Amino acid sequence: MQELSNLRCFRHGVREAVARCPECGRYFCRECITEHEDRVLCAPCLRKLLRPSSVRPFRLGGLIRIIQFSLGVMILWLSFYYLGQALLSLPASFHEGTVWQSGWWEANESE
Ligand SMILES: [Zn+2]
Ligand SMILES: [Zn+2]
């Protein structure tokens, strides 16, 4: 640990470094370094550790959710659109056919 005395704090160039952050590998003075669960970390690394991946992945997750949602809506809309197209392309006799007059749904309900 003799070499530490020659090192300066990463943030305070005039201060002597007392510890090395194991996360970023930089040397820091007593003020910049903090102890957390028997580990000595610098402030930025501690913040990162306490709030793991708080900002970016959240945004990314939200974006993915939005994309998934719009994709779902699009697929739903497309299927309805093609269903409508398919129904329209059916011969008119189908609409006037016995399918709609058989009353199968009424038969079901009367039970
Ligand atoms: Zn660090
Ligand atoms: Zn410092």
Side-chain angles (χ1 to χ4, degrees):
M1 286 303 192
Q2 209 183 342
E3 54 171 3
L4 264 181
S5 57
N6 297 325
L7 290 159
R8 301 290 157 189
C9 170
F10 178 70
R11 287 156 94 189
H12 308 96
V14 289
R15 291 189 193 173
E16 260 184 33
V18 292
R20 182 170 179 253
C21 172
E23 288 292 314
C24 57
R26 287 168 185 150
Y27 293 92
F28 290 94
C29 71
R30 207 176 294 275
E31 243 178 73
C32 296
I33 214 90
T34 29
E35 256 182 74
H36 176 68
E37 288 173 1
D38 296 331
R39 289 180 79 192
V40 182
L41 296 165
C42 70
C45 286
L46 182 70
R47 236 178 287 146
K48 247 188 277 173
L49 213 78
L50 288 178
R51 276 186 281 161
S53 59
S54 59
V55 183
R56 267 182 148 195
F58 174 73
R59 262 194 214 160
L60 198 70
L63 195 71
I64 285 168
R65 230 182 276 171
I66 287 165
I67 289 168
Q68 278 178 340
F69 178 75
S70 18
L71 268 179
V73 168
M74 211 148 83
I75 287 163
L76 210 70
W77 184 84
L78 276 175
S79 45
F80 272 115
Y81 176 79
Y82 282 115
L83 194 73
Q85 290 290 302
L87 283 175
L88 281 176
S89 65
L90 284 171
S93 59
F94 176 81
H95 293 287
E96 293 156 10
T98 52
V99 181
W100 308 107
Q101 286 160 19
S102 64
W104 55 269
W105 56 90
E106 282 168 14
N108 267 353
E109 270 175 22
S110 64
E111 277 182 355

